[in-house]
Structures are given as C-alpha cells and as structure tokens.
Amino acid sequence: MTAVAERITGLVGALRGHGVRIGTGETVDAARAVEALGLADRELLREGLAATLLHGPGQRALFDSVFDLYFPRGVGGPREAPLDRETLRDRLAEALAADDRALMARLAAEAVDGMGGYGSSPGSDGWSAYQTLDRLRPQTLLARVRADVRGRDGSGAGFADRLLDDEIRGRIEEFRRMVAAEARRRVAERRGRDEIARRGVRPTADRVDFLFANRDQLTELRRAVAPLARKLATRLAARRRRAARGTVDLRRTLRSSLSTGGVPMRPVLRRRRPVRPELVLLCDVSGSVSGFSDFTMLLVQALHDQFSKVRVFAFVNRLDEVTGLLDHGRADPDGLGARIRAEATLTGWHGSSDYGVALGEFAERYGGAVGPRTTVFVLGDARTNMSDPNLHAVREVARQARRVYWLNPEPRDRWGTGDSAAPAYAGLVAMHECRTARQLGALIARLLPV
Amino acid sequence: MFTSVDDVSARLAETGYLASPAVATTVFLAARLGKPLLVEGPAGVGKTELAKAVAQVAAARLVRLQCYEGVDESRALYEWNHAKQLLRISAGRDESWDETRTDIFSEEFLLPRPLLTAIRGDEPTVLLIDETDKADVEMEGLLLEVLSDFQVTVPELGTVTATRRPFVVLTSNAGRELSEALRRRCLFLHIGFPEEELERRIVRLKVPGLGQALTESVVRVVGALRAMDLRKAPSVAETVDWARTLLALGADTLDETVVRDTLGVILKHQDDIQKAAAKLDLEAL
C-alpha cells in the first residue's frame, strides 16, 4: 500500500504546485477512497480522487491531465509492430466514424509510438504530440469520415445530419487530446513524473498569462468571467457591509454623551454616504494586450450593478467611448474585441498604439467623465512606441479622479525595458502587475471602491 | 448502505435515476466515508432528484431544508414554541418559578427544524440542503458545526449528537461562491450535462413512446446546442420536455419546420433562439 500512498501524495503535490489548495485531511480522504474503491477500475479511481481532492469544477481539466501521469493507462509503448501511416489513417477514420473512444485511445498510443519519437541519445530524446499530429494530420480525415458515416446510415438526409461536421470535428479534437496525453505519459516515463506534471501540464485558465494565451485559452477565460464576477460581487458585498458598520464618530459621541453627564453610554457611528462609486475604464485594445483588455472589460461589465455608472473607453492611438458596444456585447462576448475594433474610431494615421496621444485625447474630450467620485482604471502595457508619454494628461486625470490605478499585464521586471514608459507612469499613478485572471481577481477585489 | 459502485448505479436505476459513473462513485464514497456530498451544476440536471433517489434506495426519510435569502437559525435548526410556553406559564399559576422554568424549556416546547430533525432521528435519514448558495454567508457558519461533527447545541437542553449519521446532500447552482471551509468538509461532485449515450437512455426512460431514431436526433441536436455557448444551455429537463412536446405533436422525424416551431421549448432567451437558428441553418424566425 505504500507505493499507492506515494502515488497519491505525488499527485497531491503536483496539484498543489498548480495552485489547487488541498489539505492533509483531503489527502487522507483520498487514500480512504482508494481503499474503498480498489485499484481495479481506473475511471472509478479517477472520479473518487476528484471527489475527495477537488473543490470546484474549474480544476477538473488540470486534475485529469495530472491523474493520467500518476495513474497511467499502461507502461511503455504498444506491443504490436508499428503500423505505417496509411493503415493508421484508415483505422482512425473507421474509429472516428464509429465514435469508438477505446479504439481511438489505442490508435493514439500507436501513433505516438510510431511517429512521435525524436532524438536518439538519452537525455535529448522524447515523444512529441506536435510531431505525431503533424505527420498523421487527423483533421484531413473529415470528408472521408463524413462520407463513411452517411454511407452507413443510408439516407444522410435527416435533420441532425447538418450537425455531423461539428460532431466529427469534436471527435478529432478528442483524438488530439488523447495524443497529447499519451505523449506526456511517454515523456514522463523517460524524465520523471514530477517534472512533467510541473511543466508539461496546462495550467487552469485563471493562471494563464494574458499576453501568451492562445485562442482556446482566451475562450476558456471568457467563460470564467461570470463565475469570477459572482465571486467578486460576494466579496465586494462583504466589504461594503463591513464598511457600513462604520467607525466611531468621536465628535458626535462626545456631544451625545452630554445628556448622560459626559459619560459616553452609546457610541455614535460615522454615517456612510449611500453613494455607489463611478468607474471609468481606459483600455488599450491593440494587438498583444487585447486579450487582457477584452477580459477585463467583460468582467467590469458583469460587475456593473455594483456601480452607479460605468464608462469604458478603448484606444490604440485614438480614443473612443465603447460603453454602448459593451452593453450589447453580453449576448456575444467572443465577438466583442472585433466589434470594438470595427465600430469605434481607434486609430488615425498609423496602427500602433500611442499612449500619449490617446491619454491626451481623453483628458481633452472626456475630462468631464472624471469627477471626485470616479475611480479610473488604465489597462495596458504602457509601451508608447517611442513617442511622448504625455505625463501631463495623466497628472490631470489623477488630479480630478478619486483614484487612478494602472493595471499592466507585463511582468514587473520588464517594465521600463525597450519602449515601455511604465516607470514614468508608475511615478504618477499606482501601477500593478496583472498577468493572470487570478491576479486580476485579487486586485479588483482589493482596489475596487465600495 | 451500498456494497459497490455498481450496486449504487443499479439501485438508483431501479428508482428511475440513471447515474453517470462519476455520480455513482461519489455517492458510494459519501456513504462509505460518511461525508456530506456537495453537488454543483447547472439547473435541471437532477441535483435534487439525486437526493430523493438516494433516500428512496436507502428506504430513508428525506428531510429537506430549502435555503433562501434570510434563512436563519430558527428556520434551519430549532425554535422555542413561545405561544405554548406562555400558555404553560399562565396555566400553572401557583407553581414556583424554578419549576416552571425547567418545564417550559423541555422537549415538549421545542420546535425542531430540518437540521435538528435530521440529527435527532433514529431511523436512516437523508438530509437535503437545497440551493445552499441562496442562503447568507452566516448560514454557512451554522452548517459547519452541523456537518463536521453532526451535533447541535441547544443551550437549555445541552448538545444533541447524531446517533445515526444522516446522509447529507448539499446542492448549489453556484449563484454565490461557497466558502472554502464548507467545501473542505464535503465531497465535491459536479454534475454536468450527460454524455450522449446516457442522455439517450434518460429520454428513453422518461418518454418511452418516442421512436428510436427521433430520440437519437433529439439528443444530437441538444448536444450541438450546448456546444454553442448560449446564455442558458438546454439541460436534461429541457431535453425531456422537448421529447414530450415532439411526442405530443406526433412528429416522427425532425425537420426544419418542427425544430423551428419547438425551439422555444429548449431555449429560453430570444438571443439564444436567434443564434441557434442561425447556426442550425433554419430560415429566419
């Protein structure tokens, strides 16, 4: 049983390394679950461990990848002699047409074994999912599988037939995931599980760096907006409740104590003005930072009922108000970025971002949007493309607003390198590093006015 | 309570609840480890049904605490029956105060609410705490004591400890983030939308009159709709509703007209209907 215990603690360690909070009590529960379930059925074991170790649905994808490393399907490569590419493609087409998951998994193992190996000397060799998929090209099987399925069902005229393409694409995507998992397993055998679990497993969406997130991860992030907004709303409400309790108003306490002979029997609390704060967002939506800006805009939109007024401005080198676009954007968050870039006037003369001009334009045209109750958030990497950062405009906005915060998606040690004017801006307003959704959530919970 | 995971699935299926392997495994573990079960998932996937099915299987009494905003100790735990206490006081006029006091704070004047009821019972009990996310944060603190030690303290009577641990199911729609402390005390189960195969079996079970081919098409279309990133993805309840509608309409195959006319059964927002119609190549509504 010690070997199993070691596996479980290893698994827990790897999950903790990815930011999942697991206590010793849960680890013990996991071990008891293994005892109750036995090791015969791998899928039961997976569900049992997930039930005892995880606390939320967001961590499941991460858990599955790590689980595959610590409780692998098998050891080593498949026993049969490797198939050549064409035979493998034929059999894969059959498996996809029949939607046979077990066969697909077996073919994934064979594909990695036959096509994924690279390098020859120990230490530099390994198994590559990318190389396997590049040689096998499962996506080109679509037409063949479609014809196959239609031929089998006979007619092919039913209504559900129009869903076929998407379904087959889903199956191919599933096969790609299987290949990736298989390649990770083979590499883990060579290099050690802990190492691969730490580096080779995709982190949960809220820990992905905004600047390096790919399209899938951005979509996943957008899906995380609503739960994150709910969490923040709960936290803001708690902060508001605490704040409403208020502090003791010394002057009025003393005053009311006169009626009890100068003994302060009843403390008088400072009254809170029941105003909801206003929020202004200035977002750089150019190229690399756009993923970060889109996400933050959606998040603020989801939180809008916490504020009396939210106004959102987008800029590249010209600035325009996009509050209206955002309101309509709730039905279709994926298209938000494209719509903003299409409908708002964001560029003039050239297409690269210019903070100086954009901030100047904001101070000039929309200066009225900023008042003593307004908190301003600037989102961007402060890379001015060598032009004037226009510190005067920032100073002006900071003077009018209640607070100005700058959220920068670049790591702190890169601020000030190249054309970054971050240190100059940071001297005027509070600048925070904000690289992942998790960091953003923590910052917003702390910085948002209540 | 159960001997194995297969036993769980088989016995739940007898009551008409078809459980996925994840559900069956977690229910088995919850019974075996004696821990509460926290079930999360979208509306209409059968979270509450699960608790009812478990109660039926285990021949246990189902005690239900429906949470809502403002639910408090006196609604969840226990309350003294003030009116009856007053009557008792005025009835015994010539008693001394000590006698009266010991009498009016006795079992007879206690109104047990769901949590206390579930803990005091001697027979097997399933305690369902429904829509936990609707309750206030303070309520969670109360649940912590009950769920970790299965005991309740009534100052006048002392601590009541469960002689027989109830099987506890908490459900949540994730409307609010439950505290980490509460999650830690529970086994976590996320019930998502079922696999195609399982959903086909559910439809067949609930709407037996629907043809094989049509059932298959219905499940496929619903699966495609779920992949579309809608405001409210159709849930199992909607699939079953749709199947019933089609049966009532006497449709024997899905075609464009039928789908267009009945899309409102599965999708509840106008935006969603338009989006789905566009993706499914239906003509404009």
Side-chain angles (χ1 to χ4, degrees), chain A residues 280-291:
Chain A
V280 166
L281 228 57
L282 299 180
C283 311
D284 181 357
V285 293
S286 67
S288 59
V289 238
S290 65

Side-chain angles (χ1 to χ4, degrees), chain A residues 85-95 141 144:
Chain A
R85 177 170 181 271
E86 282 316 310
T87 328
L88 202 57
R89 273 173 65 92
D90 288 345
R91 292 188 54 196
L92 180 59
E94 276 168 37
L141 288 171
R144 203 162 127 193

Side-chain angles (χ1 to χ4, degrees), chain B residues 20 35 76-77 122 131 142 235-236 269:
Chain B
S20 67
K35 288 192 90 178
L77 212 51
D122 290 329
E131 310 202 19
L142 187 69
S235 180
V236 185
H269 292 280

Side-chain angles (χ1 to χ4, degrees), chain A residues 5 28 36 86 115 119 152 195 198 204-205 218 220 256 272-273 276 295 351 358 362 382 424 434:
Chain A
V28 173
E86 282 316 310
M115 303 177 191
R152 182 175 317 180
E195 164 98 4
R198 198 165 56 243
T204 48
L218 286 177
E220 209 174 312
S256 75
R272 257 180 60 84
R273 266 167 292 157
R276 296 210 154 189
F295 180 76
F362 176 72
C434 186

Side-chain angles (χ1 to χ4, degrees), chain B residues 224-284:
Chain B
L225 288 173
R226 281 181 194 146
M228 270 180 210
D229 199 14
L230 302 168
R231 269 170 77 181
K232 167 77 182 75
S235 180
V236 185
E238 272 92 33
T239 316
V240 173
D241 278 349
W242 197 31
R244 288 208 176 112
T245 312
L246 293 173
L247 187 66
L249 289 176
D252 41 9
T253 50
L254 273 190
D255 58 35
E256 206 154 291
T257 346
V258 173
V259 173
R260 196 174 51 210
D261 293 345
T262 54
L263 210 51
V265 178
I266 26 178
L267 299 178
K268 305 297 163 75
H269 292 280
Q270 189 56 29
D271 306 347
D272 286 353
I273 293 181
Q274 275 163 5
K275 196 167 174 181
K279 285 250 175 89
L280 292 175
D281 296 331
L282 299 176
E283 284 158 36

Side-chain angles (χ1 to χ4, degrees), chain A residues 130-391:
Chain A
Y130 176 79
Q131 182 183 307
T132 312
L133 292 170
D134 193 46
R135 291 198 186 150
L136 192 62
R137 296 199 166 277
Q139 64 275 22
T140 55
L141 288 171
L142 178 64
R144 203 162 127 193
V145 175
R146 190 197 306 140
D148 203 5
V149 172
R150 287 211 177 126
R152 182 175 317 180
D153 290 353
S155 63
F159 178 82
D161 191 56
R162 62 184 71 183
L163 309 171
L164 192 59
D165 277 11
D166 280 339
E167 283 173 3
I168 296 172
R169 263 183 225 119
R171 288 175 206 169
I172 294 177
E173 201 48 48
E174 180 66 32
F175 178 73
R176 299 174 79 100
R177 265 196 295 278
M178 287 173 177
V179 169
E182 173 67 13
R184 259 203 307 274
R185 180 183 75 78
R186 296 296 293 274
V187 176
E189 277 178 5
R190 190 68 49 98
R191 305 257 175 81
R193 275 191 302 273
D194 297 335
E195 164 98 4
I196 299 304
R198 198 165 56 243
R199 296 203 314 196
V201 175
R202 228 168 65 166
T204 48
D206 62 338
R207 289 162 69 95
V208 174
D209 209 313
F210 283 123
L211 294 180
F212 305 114
N214 58 29
R215 247 187 57 222
D216 291 349
Q217 285 167 330
L218 286 177
T219 317
E220 209 174 312
L221 266 178
R222 272 193 285 272
R223 240 169 257 146
V225 165
L228 182 57
R230 274 199 303 271
K231 199 188 243 177
L232 288 176
T234 317
R235 233 180 274 169
L236 286 178
R239 253 177 74 196
R240 201 166 278 152
R241 221 178 13 246
R242 263 203 305 280
R245 244 174 260 149
T247 47
V248 175
D249 187 334
L250 200 60
R251 193 184 63 83
R252 286 176 49 222
T253 305
L254 284 179
R255 178 102 174 259
S256 75
S257 77
L258 291 180
S259 63
T260 50
V263 183
M265 301 286 280
R266 199 173 289 139
V268 181
L269 299 182
R270 211 178 289 274
R271 234 182 260 133
R272 257 180 60 84
R273 266 167 292 157
V275 284
R276 296 210 154 189
E278 292 171 14
L279 205 62
V280 166
L281 228 57
L282 299 180
C283 311
D284 181 357
V285 293
S286 67
S288 59
V289 238
S290 65
F292 168 58
S293 296
D294 290 356
F295 180 76
T296 315
M297 278 192 261
L298 288 171
L299 184 62
V300 167
Q301 170 61 31
L303 283 171
H304 74 108
D305 53 353
Q306 303 283 325
F307 305 98
S308 66
K309 199 193 258 178
V310 178
R311 293 183 74 177
V312 183
F313 300 87
F315 63 88
V316 176
N317 54 48
R318 297 273 315 270
L319 177 129
D320 203 354
E321 177 156 11
V322 295
T323 315
L325 291 176
L326 211 56
D327 272 344
H328 301 138
R330 260 181 304 168
D332 175 28
D334 292 354
L336 176 72
R339 212 163 44 245
I340 285 179
R341 275 174 281 281
E343 292 182 26
T345 319
L346 303 176
T347 52
W349 310 114
H350 59 98
S352 48
S353 58
D354 185 336
Y355 281 72
V357 173
L359 290 170
E361 196 179 348
F362 176 72
E364 199 176 299
R365 274 173 63 195
Y366 298 102
V370 181
R373 274 187 221 155
T374 320
T375 301
V376 180
F377 278 87
V378 187
L379 315 176
D381 57 3
R383 298 208 168 263
T384 57
N385 287 308
M386 295 304 176
S387 59
D388 172 33
N390 200 351
L391 297 178

Side-chain angles (χ1 to χ4, degrees), chain B:
Chain B
M1 207 159 147
F2 300 105
T3 53
S4 71
V5 178
D6 290 335
D7 183 41
V8 177
S9 330
R11 284 167 64 188
L12 284 179
E14 276 168 30
T15 70
Y17 188 96
L18 299 178
S20 67
V23 172
T25 312
T26 320
V27 168
F28 173 70
L29 281 179
R32 186 56 69 88
L33 305 185
K35 288 192 90 178
L37 180 59
L38 170 63
V39 189
E40 263 188 8
V45 290
K47 301 187 290 293
T48 308
E49 285 309 308
L50 175 63
K52 290 185 185 162
V54 170
Q56 202 179 332
V57 162
R61 183 173 54 143
L62 181 70
V63 178
R64 179 169 180 167
L65 171 64
Q66 180 72 42
C67 293
Y68 50 89
E69 217 170 304
V71 64
D72 59 357
E73 233 177 348
S74 60
R75 290 282 141 206
L77 212 51
Y78 70 91
E79 201 174 14
W80 288 107
N81 190 343
H82 293 302
K84 201 172 174 188
Q85 282 175 330
L86 284 178
L87 277 176
R88 169 69 187 78
I89 292 169
S90 49
R93 273 182 197 287
D94 35 5
E95 276 177 341
S96 72
W97 164 239
D98 279 335
E99 279 172 316
T100 317
R101 189 183 53 196
T102 45
D103 199 32
I104 61 172
F105 288 112
S106 63
E107 291 274 338
E108 195 191 342
F109 299 91
L110 191 70
L111 293 175
R113 300 295 185 200
L115 291 182
L116 188 58
T117 313
I119 281 179
R120 281 207 307 187
D122 290 329
E123 70 271 38
T125 311
V126 172
L127 171 63
L128 166 64
I129 305 177
D130 213 1
E131 310 202 19
T132 316
D133 52 327
K134 298 266 185 355
D136 305 310
V137 184
E138 290 78 10
M139 182 68 197
E140 279 184 28
L142 187 69
L143 286 177
L144 291 183
E145 186 197 352
V146 176
L147 295 184
S148 53
D149 301 333
F150 290 96
Q151 63 177 36
V152 171
T153 308
V154 183
E156 294 84 356
L157 292 180
T159 304
V160 182
T161 313
T163 43
R164 184 171 191 147
R165 283 195 169 197
F167 184 94
V168 186
V169 179
L170 298 97
T171 74
S172 155
N173 281 327
R176 175 171 67 79
E177 198 66 17
L178 297 179
S179 72
E180 196 71 9
L182 185 62
R183 287 173 181 277
R184 240 164 234 291
R185 282 170 176 73
C186 302
L187 292 184
F188 178 77
L189 171 65
H190 181 264
I191 304 188
F193 300 124
E195 300 261 303
E196 231 173 82
E197 167 60 29
L198 180 61
E199 191 158 27
R200 272 202 293 272
R201 277 170 52 210
I202 294 174
V203 172
R204 233 174 276 148
L205 184 76
K206 302 278 173 191
V207 196
L210 204 67
Q212 177 88 24
L214 190 53
T215 306
E216 206 153 297
S217 311
V218 163
V219 171
R220 274 176 77 186
V221 172
V222 170
L225 288 173
R226 281 181 194 146
M228 270 180 210
D229 199 14
L230 302 168
R231 269 170 77 181
K232 167 77 182 75
S235 180
V236 185
E238 272 92 33
T239 316
V240 173
D241 278 349
W242 197 31
R244 288 208 176 112
T245 312
L246 293 173
L247 187 66
L249 289 176
D252 41 9
T253 50
L254 273 190
D255 58 35
E256 206 154 291
T257 346
V258 173
V259 173
R260 196 174 51 210
D261 293 345
T262 54
L263 210 51
V265 178
I266 26 178
L267 299 178
K268 305 297 163 75
H269 292 280
Q270 189 56 29
D271 306 347
D272 286 353
I273 293 181
Q274 275 163 5
K275 196 167 174 181
K279 285 250 175 89
L280 292 175
D281 296 331
L282 299 176
E283 284 158 36
L285 291 169

